[in-house]
Amino acid sequence: MLGYKELPFEIMQTGEFYYDLMKSGRIKIVRKIKDPVTLQDPCNIIRRAGASEKFRYFVNATCENFTEMTPNKEHNFCCNAGGGLAGLSNWAAHKARGNRVKAQQIKETGAKVVITPCHNCSTGIKDVIKYWDLGVKNVFFDEILVQTMDIPETLKVGK
Amino acid sequence: MAVKEKIVSRDFKEYVREVNPDVGLDESIKGLTPEKIEKTIKAVLGARTARIRAVLETCIHCGLCSKACQWYLSNDGDPSYAPVAKMRMTIWEMLKRDGKVDAEFIKQCARIVFTECNICHRCSMYCPYGLDVTFIIGLVRRVCFVLGVVPQRQMDQDHAHATTLNQVWLGQNDWLDTMQWQEEEVGAEYKDLRIPIDKEGAEVMWLPLGAEPKTGIYHIERTAKIMHAAGIDWTVPGKDVWDSSNMPMFLRDFATMQRIVRGLFDNAIRLRIKKMVLTE
Amino acid sequence: MFDFIRDPSLYNLVRGPLVWIAFFVFIGGSIFKIRAMYIMARNEKAVLPFINGKAALRSLLHWVIPFASRNWRLRWPITTLTFVFHIGLVFLPLFLLSHNILIHESWGITWWTVSEGFADAVTLLVIFSCVAFFLRRVFASEVKFVSSSSDFLILAISFFPFLTGFLAFHELLLPYKWMVILHMIFGEIMLMAIPFTRLGHMFYFFMTRTWMGSQFALWNSKDW
C-alpha cells in the first residue's frame, strides 16, 4: 500500500488498543459504570476492521448494564456522520432526520448512555440525540476508561 | 414548525427534498460549462474498469439493498433514498446521457453523494450480488470533486488537509504547543507524566483526530492519563502528519489523501514504532 | 416425431441449426464475457491480489443457500420467490423429460429426469414468480423507481419459454407444433440473450460475490 508492501507496524483503533491493555493486564478496571449503556458500532472499525468482539469485551468489562442495539455488530446502522458527513453542520437536521432508525434503536435499548468509540459517530449520535430529543448522552471509550480504571496512588503528585 | 420549502427535482419527480442552502453547491455550479462537465465525466468514468462494469452489468434492479440503508428506512421508504436509486440518479444517468448533463444535475448528484450516503458499505452487505455500491458513489464523488461541487464545509476541510495536512488549519507550532501545554496540565497531577514528542523506538505512536487538539482537548488529557497509568512507552509525531482523519479520502481527492497516508506511515517508519493507534 | 409436422422446414430450423447457434452464442459469449471481465480485473491492479478464495466460497455459500444470509431472512417472501424461480429456471430445462428425449434422439445420451407432473408444477411456479416479479416492478416503489424497459425485457425473455412450454404441453391456445416452435424460439432467444444482457448476472454473480466476500474477509468481517 502506497509504497509499503508489508507494514512493519500494527495499525489499530484506540478501542482495540484499550482491549489489548486490558487483556494483557496493563490496565486494571476497579469500578464499573452503573448507568444502562448501549454501544454504537462504527462502520469503519466494525464492518471494515472486525473489532466487534473486542469492543464488547471492553464494554462488558467496564459497564454493568449493557444492552445491545438491534441490529448490531456488522449489521449496525451508520451514525449518519460517516463518509465525510461529520463536518456538515449546516446539514445537521437533514442528517438527523435521515437517521430516525438510529433514534428508535437507542430508545429501544432504554440506555442512558451511548458509547461512541469514534469521533464521527460521536458527532452523528449527538445530532440524532438532539434532533429526536432522546435525553441520553454519548461518551467515548477514553472517558469510560479514565473513570473506571485503576490509577495507582503512587503515580499521583504529593503521594 | 414552519413548513420548509421543498424542491422537486427536474429529472426525477420522486426526488423531493427540503431546500438546504450550501455555498459549496449553490455557487460553485455557476462556473460550470457543459463541455467541462462532459470532459470530467469522461475522464473519471471513461475507462470502464472491471469494478464499474461489474456493478453496471450485474445489477438487476431488484431493490433488495433498499432496506439496508438507514436513509431509506428513516424516510418512510422514500424510493429516492435507496442505494440503487442513488446509483440510478447519478451514474446511470450520466452514462445514459453520455456525460451531457447540466450544472443543475451535477448539483443534485453532489447532494446525493455527499449528504445522503455515508459510504458505510451496508448495502454491499445486503446486496445478493455483493455489488460495491459505495465504489460507484465514490466515483460520482470524484466527478463532483473534480468539478469543485462539494458542500462548503467538506471542501474547507479538504483545503485544510491539502494545506496543513490536518483538518483544522493547525500549524506545527500550535500542535507542539498544545501537546506541551497538556503535558504541563496533566503533569500537575501525576508524577513524571510525559507526552513524548518524536521519541524514536517507542512502542506506540498515538495519533489524534485533528479536532482533538483544537476543540477536544480533554481527549489528549485522558489519553495521557491512560498511557501513564498503563506505563506505555508512547509518542506523538512532532512533524506532520499527526491528524488521523482523512477527509480527502471521502471526497476522492487522491493526491492529498496519499500525502496524508504517506506522511503517517513515514512518521511511523522514522520513529520505528510498533503500533500505530488512531482515534478514528 | 417427425410425422405430425406439417412444416418441417421451420421446425427443422429451430430444432437444428438455431439450437446450435444458440448454444454457440451462449457458451462462446459467456466465455468471452467472463474472460473480458477477468482481463479487465487483471489490468486494474487493485482487484486480483485481494481475491481470497476461501472467503469467497464462504460468502457464495451463504448467498446461494436460501435463508443463510440476514437479508434472505429479512426478505423471506422475496427470497422464497427468487429461489423457486431460479432453481426452476436453471434446473427444470436440464431435467425435463421432453428435453432429454430430444437429446437422446440427437446424441443417444440421456440422464435423470423429473416426472411430468412435477415439471408441470415447477413450470407453474416459475410462471407465477415471473408474474409476481412483474407486479413487484410495477407496484413496489423502490423497485419501480429503478426499473427501466430493459428490466421488463429480461423478465419477458425468461418468462416466455416457460409460458409457451406450459401451453404446448397442455395443447392450449395454438396447435401443439406451433407452440413448440414458439417455445424453441423463445428458449433460444433466452440462451443467446444471457451473455449480452443483464441476465449475465448468471455468471457475474459468482465474480461479484467473490470480490465482496474477499473484501469483507480483508476487513475481518462477514457479508451475510
Side-chain angles (χ1 to χ4, degrees):
Chain A
M1 192 199 231
L2 299 173
Y4 295 108
K5 192 154 185 253
E6 277 183 8
L7 297 171
F9 52 86
E10 281 180 75
I11 300 179
M12 51 175 68
Q13 204 258 352
T14 40
E16 298 169 271
F17 179 62
Y18 298 149
Y19 165 84
D20 280 359
L21 293 183
M22 284 158 68
K23 263 281 180 195
S24 60
R26 292 173 91 165
I27 280 183
K28 283 184 187 60
I29 304 297
V30 287
R31 283 170 292 271
K32 280 197 167 193
I33 304 280
K34 298 227 164 29
D35 288 336
V37 300
T38 187
L39 173 69
Q40 158 70 10
D41 287 308
C43 312
N44 273 329
I45 313 161
I46 306 291
R47 201 172 297 130
R48 285 195 282 263
S52 54
E53 294 310 322
K54 292 181 180 178
F55 280 16
R56 268 146 193 85
Y57 177 88
F58 180 96
V59 175
N60 283 319
T62 53
C63 302
E64 271 178 7
N65 191 349
F66 169 47
T67 322
E68 290 270 15
M69 292 188 193
T70 21
N72 55 45
K73 295 182 188 169
E74 63 271 356
H75 290 284
N76 74 317
F77 288 111
C78 176
C79 58
N80 255 16
L85 276 72
L88 290 175
S89 42
N90 53 336
W91 295 79
H94 167 73
K95 285 192 289 175
R97 208 165 36 238
N99 212 353
R100 197 180 60 205
V101 281
K102 184 55 74 189
Q104 282 164 353
Q105 271 187 312
I106 296 173
K107 235 187 240 168
E108 277 163 20
T109 63
K112 287 278 156 270
V113 177
V114 185
I115 304 173
T116 50
C118 143
H119 280 87
N120 277 339
C121 295
S122 170
T123 316
I125 296 292
K126 258 183 209 156
D127 286 345
V128 169
I129 291 170
K130 224 189 277 170
Y131 186 87
W132 297 100
D133 202 14
L134 296 176
V136 299
K137 63 169 185 171
N138 73 309
V139 299
F140 281 91
F141 275 164
D142 56 1
E143 195 172 340
I144 290 181
L145 201 56
V146 166
Q147 283 174 18
T148 58
M149 73 177 179
D150 175 40
I151 304 176
E153 288 296 314
T154 50
L155 291 177
K156 288 184 181 163
V157 171
K159 296 278 160 135
Chain B
M1 218 158 66
V3 179
K4 282 203 180 155
E5 203 186 334
K6 301 248 180 189
I7 44 160
V8 181
S9 161
R10 181 199 58 195
D11 308 279
F12 308 101
K13 64 179 179 359
E14 289 90 346
Y15 189 81
V16 183
R17 294 290 187 270
E18 281 182 4
V19 176
N20 200 340
D22 192 306
V23 179
L25 302 182
D26 304 334
E27 298 297 320
S28 59
I29 58 165
K30 289 181 183 161
L32 297 181
T33 58
E35 298 78 42
K36 211 164 153 185
I37 294 170
E38 193 181 339
K39 205 177 149 198
T40 310
I41 290 177
K42 290 207 166 138
V44 177
L45 307 176
R48 303 266 194 93
T49 57
R51 280 184 285 176
I52 307 179
R53 283 194 95 110
V55 176
L56 294 177
E57 293 185 16
T58 309
C59 181
I60 206 79
H61 312 172
C62 67
L64 285 178
C65 53
S66 53
K67 283 191 181 156
C69 186
Q70 76 271 12
W71 286 96
Y72 176 83
L73 291 172
S74 300
N75 286 289
D76 304 312
D78 180 341
S80 63
Y81 278 108
V84 61
K86 288 169 192 168
M87 290 205 290
R88 191 219 148 164
M89 290 188 289
T90 55
I91 193 166
W92 296 0
E93 203 63 23
M94 284 180 186
L95 294 174
K96 202 170 117 192
R97 299 195 205 162
D98 197 26
K100 290 178 184 58
V101 293
D102 59 6
E104 197 57 37
F105 181 84
I106 292 291
K107 178 182 160 187
Q108 185 178 300
C109 283
R111 177 166 179 159
I112 294 168
V113 294
F114 286 119
T115 78
E116 288 166 13
C117 172
N118 296 86
I119 314 234
C120 73
H121 266 111
R122 206 170 184 266
C123 42
S124 305
M125 208 171 152
Y126 281 70
C127 172
Y129 304 101
L131 296 179
D132 206 342
V133 178
T134 53
F135 177 72
I136 299 294
I137 297 286
L139 285 171
V140 182
R141 282 191 176 194
R142 174 79 183 160
V143 170
C144 295
F145 169 75
V146 173
L147 289 169
V149 185
V150 179
Q152 188 192 19
R153 278 160 197 270
Q154 284 174 341
M155 201 56 156
D156 175 68
Q157 279 191 7
D158 183 60
H159 288 161
H161 270 298
T163 316
T164 61
L165 292 170
N166 62 66
Q167 56 164 238
V168 285
W169 301 101
L170 208 64
Q172 197 190 1
N173 49 346
D174 289 332
W175 158 247
L176 293 176
D177 186 53
T178 310
M179 285 297 139
Q180 286 172 346
W181 164 50
Q182 277 306 301
E183 188 177 271
E184 276 175 37
E185 285 277 305
V186 194
E189 289 173 51
Y190 298 93
K191 279 184 231 165
D192 306 326
L193 184 138
R194 302 266 295 131
I195 298 182
I197 297 170
D198 261 354
K199 183 179 172 190
E200 273 187 46
E203 187 196 341
V204 172
M205 178 167 79
W206 181 73
L207 300 161
L209 171 78
E212 284 179 22
K214 189 144 185 171
T215 54
I217 205 79
Y218 38 86
H219 287 293
I220 296 165
E221 180 193 323
R222 290 174 199 148
T223 304
K225 278 185 197 167
I226 292 166
M227 295 288 189
H228 191 51
I232 305 290
D233 180 17
W234 69 300
T235 186
V236 292
K239 292 180 184 158
D240 293 331
V241 181
W242 50 266
D243 181 355
S244 59
S245 71
N246 202 337
M247 178 56 86
M249 178 178 79
F250 293 129
L251 303 194
R252 298 298 189 267
D253 172 6
F254 297 125
T256 315
M257 173 185 101
Q258 292 195 0
R259 278 173 62 212
I260 289 168
V261 179
R262 182 99 207 180
L264 290 175
F265 285 4
D266 283 351
N267 263 334
I269 301 286
R270 181 170 60 88
L271 300 175
R272 302 198 308 279
I273 51 109
K274 296 193 182 59
K275 285 180 190 168
M276 183 193 269
V277 176
L278 314 166
T279 47
E280 207 168 331
Chain C
M1 217 178 153
F2 287 91
D3 296 342
F4 45 38
I5 299 154
R6 214 181 297 151
D7 185 357
S9 64
L10 183 56
Y11 181 81
N12 278 339
L13 180 72
V14 296
R15 162 86 173 86
L18 269 186
V19 179
W20 281 105
I21 292 171
F23 272 98
F24 178 76
V25 170
F26 167 56
I27 294 169
S30 300
I31 291 173
F32 172 77
K33 280 281 190 176
I34 293 169
R35 192 171 164 272
M37 186 59 84
Y38 175 78
I39 289 172
M40 267 195 296
R42 197 179 55 195
N43 291 341
E44 195 181 356
K45 293 188 172 53
V47 176
L48 292 187
F50 293 102
I51 296 294
N52 174 342
K54 213 175 122 198
L57 202 64
R58 275 191 314 160
S59 168
L60 271 170
L61 280 178
H62 275 92
W63 284 92
V64 294
I65 297 170
F67 307 105
S69 67
R70 189 168 184 266
N71 208 14
W72 282 152
R73 288 192 292 275
L74 282 180
R75 299 293 197 87
W76 60 268
I78 279 287
T79 308
T80 319
L81 211 58
T82 195
F83 274 99
V84 166
F85 172 72
H86 282 95
I87 291 170
L89 193 69
V90 174
F91 292 107
L92 188 61
L94 285 176
F95 296 114
L96 198 71
L97 183 62
S98 14
H99 288 184
N100 264 272
I101 291 172
L102 286 179
I103 291 165
H104 185 70
E105 279 176 3
S106 307
W107 297 324
I109 52 165
T110 184
W111 55 76
W112 189 78
T113 57
V114 293
S115 74
E116 294 201 321
F118 182 74
D120 219 27
V122 174
T123 309
L124 274 178
L125 280 172
V126 171
I127 291 172
F128 171 75
S129 321
C130 276
V131 174
F133 282 143
F134 176 78
L135 293 177
R136 188 166 172 267
R137 277 222 180 279
V138 176
F139 292 110
S141 63
E142 81 268 27
V143 199
K144 184 183 165 201
F145 184 54
V146 293
S147 293
S148 50
S149 46
S150 66
D151 293 305
F152 292 105
L153 183 72
I154 59 176
L155 193 58
I157 287 176
S158 42
F159 172 65
F160 280 110
F162 281 82
L163 182 74
T164 50
F166 180 79
L167 293 177
F169 181 73
H170 292 279
E171 300 184 23
L172 299 166
L173 219 63
L174 283 177
Y176 177 73
K177 54 182 183 299
W178 287 109
M179 203 46 109
V180 156
I181 288 171
L182 266 182
H183 172 68
M184 285 176 157
I185 291 174
F186 279 125
E188 282 148 11
I189 288 175
M190 179 165 83
L191 279 178
M192 286 192 277
I194 286 172
F196 302 106
T197 58
R198 277 182 292 110
L199 287 175
H201 69 266
M202 179 178 160
F203 43 85
Y204 284 144
F205 168 81
F206 297 95
M207 305 174 101
T208 53
R209 268 262 74 95
T210 300
W211 169 243
M212 210 17 92
S214 309
Q215 283 279 289
F216 271 77
L218 191 72
W219 299 332
N220 293 318
S221 195
K222 52 192 175 62
D223 62 340
W224 56 81

